[in-house]
Amino acid sequence: VSFIRIDSDTNAMLSDDKIFADYNDTFTDVNWNEWYRSYVDTAYRHNYMHGYGKGKFGPTDKVTYAQFATIITNILGYDANKLTGEWPTNVLYVADKLDLFDNTTKNALTSDPITREDAAQMIYNALDANMVEVVDGKLVTTTATLADMIDSDYIYITEGEIVHIVQEPMIS
């Protein structure tokens, strides 16, 4: 999947490297020369992962069930930071409504590190979930699913919002 942003001043198409070139050091524990740095930057810029706050990401920490549910719900368009209620209860409520925990370890605590098996199952469960977007301050379900987004070759982004998912680029 390629992310393409339309620059609002010039209407020029910007690719991944231009989108993230202006990234500043949000996380003090992610060194600029680490192999995973661009992945952390991408996840942060697209609001998929927020880190712990106060400049900490925890790149070597194990991911818990609650954190993984947060990542998936953020990818689907829910912003865990803006959901009503306290984390992780608010995210777990959404994840449960989306059936993200179906066929996963039922007795695992949300604070337990997630197994690779359950992570894969949760991703699979999310594939048919509809994406949401914020319209006039309210969450609105879209017709696009996570599988649609993954199957697309290009995702066009204007002012940080996904505006069109296509199989071929709009401009050759």
mmCIF file with all atom_site columns, all heavy atoms in Angstrom, residues 73-74 78-86 90-91 94 139:
data_model
loop_
_atom_site.group_PDB
_atom_site.id
_atom_site.type_symbol
_atom_site.label_atom_id
_atom_site.label_alt_id
_atom_site.label_comp_id
_atom_site.label_asym_id
_atom_site.label_entity_id
_atom_site.label_seq_id
_atom_site.pdbx_PDB_ins_code
_atom_site.Cartn_x
_atom_site.Cartn_y
_atom_site.Cartn_z
_atom_site.occupancy
_atom_site.B_iso_or_equiv
_atom_site.pdbx_formal_charge
_atom_site.auth_seq_id
_atom_site.auth_comp_id
_atom_site.auth_asym_id
_atom_site.auth_atom_id
_atom_site.pdbx_PDB_model_num
ATOM 1   N N   . THR A 1 73  ? -8.248  -0.829 16.593 1.00 0.00 ? 73  THR A N   1
ATOM 2   C CA  . THR A 1 73  ? -9.367  0.116  16.542 1.00 0.00 ? 73  THR A CA  1
ATOM 3   C C   . THR A 1 73  ? -8.922  1.466  15.995 1.00 0.00 ? 73  THR A C   1
ATOM 4   O O   . THR A 1 73  ? -9.674  2.115  15.261 1.00 0.00 ? 73  THR A O   1
ATOM 5   C CB  . THR A 1 73  ? -10.055 0.267  17.920 1.00 0.00 ? 73  THR A CB  1
ATOM 6   O OG1 . THR A 1 73  ? -9.089  0.631  18.897 1.00 0.00 ? 73  THR A OG1 1
ATOM 7   C CG2 . THR A 1 73  ? -10.764 -1.017 18.323 1.00 0.00 ? 73  THR A CG2 1
ATOM 8   N N   . ASN A 1 74  ? -7.697  1.867  16.290 1.00 0.00 ? 74  ASN A N   1
ATOM 9   C CA  . ASN A 1 74  ? -7.179  3.115  15.701 1.00 0.00 ? 74  ASN A CA  1
ATOM 10  C C   . ASN A 1 74  ? -7.062  2.985  14.184 1.00 0.00 ? 74  ASN A C   1
ATOM 11  O O   . ASN A 1 74  ? -7.409  3.907  13.448 1.00 0.00 ? 74  ASN A O   1
ATOM 12  C CB  . ASN A 1 74  ? -5.812  3.476  16.288 1.00 0.00 ? 74  ASN A CB  1
ATOM 13  C CG  . ASN A 1 74  ? -5.910  4.072  17.667 1.00 0.00 ? 74  ASN A CG  1
ATOM 14  O OD1 . ASN A 1 74  ? -6.954  4.531  18.102 1.00 0.00 ? 74  ASN A OD1 1
ATOM 15  N ND2 . ASN A 1 74  ? -4.804  4.053  18.381 1.00 0.00 ? 74  ASN A ND2 1
ATOM 16  N N   . TYR A 1 78  ? -11.244 4.570  14.738 1.00 0.00 ? 78  TYR A N   1
ATOM 17  C CA  . TYR A 1 78  ? -11.582 4.997  16.093 1.00 0.00 ? 78  TYR A CA  1
ATOM 18  C C   . TYR A 1 78  ? -10.319 5.601  16.674 1.00 0.00 ? 78  TYR A C   1
ATOM 19  O O   . TYR A 1 78  ? -9.234  5.056  16.511 1.00 0.00 ? 78  TYR A O   1
ATOM 20  C CB  . TYR A 1 78  ? -12.011 3.811  16.957 1.00 0.00 ? 78  TYR A CB  1
ATOM 21  C CG  . TYR A 1 78  ? -13.227 3.091  16.456 1.00 0.00 ? 78  TYR A CG  1
ATOM 22  C CD1 . TYR A 1 78  ? -13.112 2.043  15.540 1.00 0.00 ? 78  TYR A CD1 1
ATOM 23  C CD2 . TYR A 1 78  ? -14.488 3.436  16.904 1.00 0.00 ? 78  TYR A CD2 1
ATOM 24  C CE1 . TYR A 1 78  ? -14.232 1.369  15.081 1.00 0.00 ? 78  TYR A CE1 1
ATOM 25  C CE2 . TYR A 1 78  ? -15.616 2.768  16.444 1.00 0.00 ? 78  TYR A CE2 1
ATOM 26  C CZ  . TYR A 1 78  ? -15.476 1.740  15.535 1.00 0.00 ? 78  TYR A CZ  1
ATOM 27  O OH  . TYR A 1 78  ? -16.580 1.075  15.074 1.00 0.00 ? 78  TYR A OH  1
ATOM 28  N N   . ASP A 1 79  ? -10.413 6.706  17.339 1.00 0.00 ? 79  ASP A N   1
ATOM 29  C CA  . ASP A 1 79  ? -9.248  7.302  17.979 1.00 0.00 ? 79  ASP A CA  1
ATOM 30  C C   . ASP A 1 79  ? -9.348  7.030  19.465 1.00 0.00 ? 79  ASP A C   1
ATOM 31  O O   . ASP A 1 79  ? -10.185 7.626  20.160 1.00 0.00 ? 79  ASP A O   1
ATOM 32  C CB  . ASP A 1 79  ? -9.185  8.806  17.706 1.00 0.00 ? 79  ASP A CB  1
ATOM 33  C CG  . ASP A 1 79  ? -7.929  9.451  18.239 1.00 0.00 ? 79  ASP A CG  1
ATOM 34  O OD1 . ASP A 1 79  ? -7.257  8.864  19.115 1.00 0.00 ? 79  ASP A OD1 1
ATOM 35  O OD2 . ASP A 1 79  ? -7.617  10.567 17.789 1.00 0.00 ? 79  ASP A OD2 1
ATOM 36  N N   . ALA A 1 80  ? -8.529  6.118  19.953 1.00 0.00 ? 80  ALA A N   1
ATOM 37  C CA  . ALA A 1 80  ? -8.592  5.714  21.361 1.00 0.00 ? 80  ALA A CA  1
ATOM 38  C C   . ALA A 1 80  ? -8.469  6.915  22.291 1.00 0.00 ? 80  ALA A C   1
ATOM 39  O O   . ALA A 1 80  ? -9.071  6.923  23.366 1.00 0.00 ? 80  ALA A O   1
ATOM 40  C CB  . ALA A 1 80  ? -7.504  4.688  21.663 1.00 0.00 ? 80  ALA A CB  1
ATOM 41  N N   . ASN A 1 81  ? -7.715  7.923  21.882 1.00 0.00 ? 81  ASN A N   1
ATOM 42  C CA  . ASN A 1 81  ? -7.547  9.113  22.719 1.00 0.00 ? 81  ASN A CA  1
ATOM 43  C C   . ASN A 1 81  ? -8.815  9.944  22.813 1.00 0.00 ? 81  ASN A C   1
ATOM 44  O O   . ASN A 1 81  ? -8.940  10.783 23.695 1.00 0.00 ? 81  ASN A O   1
ATOM 45  C CB  . ASN A 1 81  ? -6.414  9.994  22.183 1.00 0.00 ? 81  ASN A CB  1
ATOM 46  C CG  . ASN A 1 81  ? -5.055  9.380  22.439 1.00 0.00 ? 81  ASN A CG  1
ATOM 47  O OD1 . ASN A 1 81  ? -4.889  8.583  23.355 1.00 0.00 ? 81  ASN A OD1 1
ATOM 48  N ND2 . ASN A 1 81  ? -4.097  9.738  21.627 1.00 0.00 ? 81  ASN A ND2 1
ATOM 49  N N   . LYS A 1 82  ? -9.750  9.743  21.889 1.00 0.00 ? 82  LYS A N   1
ATOM 50  C CA  . LYS A 1 82  ? -10.966 10.553 21.877 1.00 0.00 ? 82  LYS A CA  1
ATOM 51  C C   . LYS A 1 82  ? -12.229 9.769  22.222 1.00 0.00 ? 82  LYS A C   1
ATOM 52  O O   . LYS A 1 82  ? -13.312 10.341 22.245 1.00 0.00 ? 82  LYS A O   1
ATOM 53  C CB  . LYS A 1 82  ? -11.118 11.212 20.505 1.00 0.00 ? 82  LYS A CB  1
ATOM 54  C CG  . LYS A 1 82  ? -10.006 12.196 20.223 1.00 0.00 ? 82  LYS A CG  1
ATOM 55  C CD  . LYS A 1 82  ? -10.145 12.832 18.873 1.00 0.00 ? 82  LYS A CD  1
ATOM 56  C CE  . LYS A 1 82  ? -8.988  13.778 18.619 1.00 0.00 ? 82  LYS A CE  1
ATOM 57  N NZ  . LYS A 1 82  ? -8.996  14.308 17.267 1.00 0.00 ? 82  LYS A NZ  1
ATOM 58  N N   . LEU A 1 83  ? -12.098 8.471  22.478 1.00 0.00 ? 83  LEU A N   1
ATOM 59  C CA  . LEU A 1 83  ? -13.260 7.680  22.864 1.00 0.00 ? 83  LEU A CA  1
ATOM 60  C C   . LEU A 1 83  ? -13.718 8.070  24.260 1.00 0.00 ? 83  LEU A C   1
ATOM 61  O O   . LEU A 1 83  ? -12.905 8.398  25.125 1.00 0.00 ? 83  LEU A O   1
ATOM 62  C CB  . LEU A 1 83  ? -12.931 6.183  22.836 1.00 0.00 ? 83  LEU A CB  1
ATOM 63  C CG  . LEU A 1 83  ? -12.704 5.542  21.477 1.00 0.00 ? 83  LEU A CG  1
ATOM 64  C CD1 . LEU A 1 83  ? -12.283 4.085  21.647 1.00 0.00 ? 83  LEU A CD1 1
ATOM 65  C CD2 . LEU A 1 83  ? -13.956 5.631  20.612 1.00 0.00 ? 83  LEU A CD2 1
ATOM 66  N N   . THR A 1 84  ? -15.018 8.014  24.488 1.00 0.00 ? 84  THR A N   1
ATOM 67  C CA  . THR A 1 84  ? -15.580 8.299  25.803 1.00 0.00 ? 84  THR A CA  1
ATOM 68  C C   . THR A 1 84  ? -15.135 7.231  26.790 1.00 0.00 ? 84  THR A C   1
ATOM 69  O O   . THR A 1 84  ? -15.045 6.057  26.442 1.00 0.00 ? 84  THR A O   1
ATOM 70  C CB  . THR A 1 84  ? -17.118 8.302  25.722 1.00 0.00 ? 84  THR A CB  1
ATOM 71  O OG1 . THR A 1 84  ? -17.514 9.236  24.724 1.00 0.00 ? 84  THR A OG1 1
ATOM 72  C CG2 . THR A 1 84  ? -17.741 8.684  27.042 1.00 0.00 ? 84  THR A CG2 1
ATOM 73  N N   . GLY A 1 85  ? -14.846 7.635  28.007 1.00 0.00 ? 85  GLY A N   1
ATOM 74  C CA  . GLY A 1 85  ? -14.467 6.690  29.055 1.00 0.00 ? 85  GLY A CA  1
ATOM 75  C C   . GLY A 1 85  ? -12.961 6.594  29.217 1.00 0.00 ? 85  GLY A C   1
ATOM 76  O O   . GLY A 1 85  ? -12.193 7.289  28.566 1.00 0.00 ? 85  GLY A O   1
ATOM 77  N N   . GLU A 1 86  ? -12.562 5.714  30.096 1.00 0.00 ? 86  GLU A N   1
ATOM 78  C CA  . GLU A 1 86  ? -11.151 5.519  30.430 1.00 0.00 ? 86  GLU A CA  1
ATOM 79  C C   . GLU A 1 86  ? -10.556 4.385  29.618 1.00 0.00 ? 86  GLU A C   1
ATOM 80  O O   . GLU A 1 86  ? -11.210 3.377  29.377 1.00 0.00 ? 86  GLU A O   1
ATOM 81  C CB  . GLU A 1 86  ? -10.999 5.208  31.924 1.00 0.00 ? 86  GLU A CB  1
ATOM 82  C CG  . GLU A 1 86  ? -11.378 6.351  32.839 1.00 0.00 ? 86  GLU A CG  1
ATOM 83  C CD  . GLU A 1 86  ? -10.396 7.491  32.753 1.00 0.00 ? 86  GLU A CD  1
ATOM 84  O OE1 . GLU A 1 86  ? -9.172  7.233  32.702 1.00 0.00 ? 86  GLU A OE1 1
ATOM 85  O OE2 . GLU A 1 86  ? -10.848 8.650  32.727 1.00 0.00 ? 86  GLU A OE2 1
ATOM 86  N N   . ASN A 1 90  ? -12.671 1.704  27.420 1.00 0.00 ? 90  ASN A N   1
ATOM 87  C CA  . ASN A 1 90  ? -13.355 2.244  26.235 1.00 0.00 ? 90  ASN A CA  1
ATOM 88  C C   . ASN A 1 90  ? -12.966 1.493  24.965 1.00 0.00 ? 90  ASN A C   1
ATOM 89  O O   . ASN A 1 90  ? -13.819 1.165  24.138 1.00 0.00 ? 90  ASN A O   1
ATOM 90  C CB  . ASN A 1 90  ? -13.112 3.748  26.103 1.00 0.00 ? 90  ASN A CB  1
ATOM 91  C CG  . ASN A 1 90  ? -11.648 4.136  26.091 1.00 0.00 ? 90  ASN A CG  1
ATOM 92  O OD1 . ASN A 1 90  ? -10.754 3.292  26.145 1.00 0.00 ? 90  ASN A OD1 1
ATOM 93  N ND2 . ASN A 1 90  ? -11.393 5.429  26.032 1.00 0.00 ? 90  ASN A ND2 1
ATOM 94  N N   . VAL A 1 91  ? -11.693 1.187  24.815 1.00 0.00 ? 91  VAL A N   1
ATOM 95  C CA  . VAL A 1 91  ? -11.218 0.472  23.630 1.00 0.00 ? 91  VAL A CA  1
ATOM 96  C C   . VAL A 1 91  ? -11.707 -0.978 23.647 1.00 0.00 ? 91  VAL A C   1
ATOM 97  O O   . VAL A 1 91  ? -12.125 -1.508 22.618 1.00 0.00 ? 91  VAL A O   1
ATOM 98  C CB  . VAL A 1 91  ? -9.682  0.519  23.534 1.00 0.00 ? 91  VAL A CB  1
ATOM 99  C CG1 . VAL A 1 91  ? -9.156  -0.426 22.472 1.00 0.00 ? 91  VAL A CG1 1
ATOM 100 C CG2 . VAL A 1 91  ? -9.210  1.931  23.269 1.00 0.00 ? 91  VAL A CG2 1
ATOM 101 N N   . VAL A 1 94  ? -15.251 -1.211 22.394 1.00 0.00 ? 94  VAL A N   1
ATOM 102 C CA  . VAL A 1 94  ? -15.329 -1.143 20.932 1.00 0.00 ? 94  VAL A CA  1
ATOM 103 C C   . VAL A 1 94  ? -14.839 -2.450 20.317 1.00 0.00 ? 94  VAL A C   1
ATOM 104 O O   . VAL A 1 94  ? -15.481 -3.005 19.424 1.00 0.00 ? 94  VAL A O   1
ATOM 105 C CB  . VAL A 1 94  ? -14.520 0.060  20.384 1.00 0.00 ? 94  VAL A CB  1
ATOM 106 C CG1 . VAL A 1 94  ? -14.423 0.011  18.871 1.00 0.00 ? 94  VAL A CG1 1
ATOM 107 C CG2 . VAL A 1 94  ? -15.129 1.377  20.847 1.00 0.00 ? 94  VAL A CG2 1
ATOM 108 N N   . LEU A 1 139 ? -18.742 9.704  15.140 1.00 0.00 ? 139 LEU A N   1
ATOM 109 C CA  . LEU A 1 139 ? -18.220 8.579  14.374 1.00 0.00 ? 139 LEU A CA  1
ATOM 110 C C   . LEU A 1 139 ? -19.278 8.095  13.398 1.00 0.00 ? 139 LEU A C   1
ATOM 111 O O   . LEU A 1 139 ? -20.420 7.839  13.780 1.00 0.00 ? 139 LEU A O   1
ATOM 112 C CB  . LEU A 1 139 ? -17.823 7.424  15.290 1.00 0.00 ? 139 LEU A CB  1
ATOM 113 C CG  . LEU A 1 139 ? -16.511 7.575  16.048 1.00 0.00 ? 139 LEU A CG  1
ATOM 114 C CD1 . LEU A 1 139 ? -16.311 6.386  16.975 1.00 0.00 ? 139 LEU A CD1 1
ATOM 115 C CD2 . LEU A 1 139 ? -15.345 7.704  15.100 1.00 0.00 ? 139 LEU A CD2 1
#
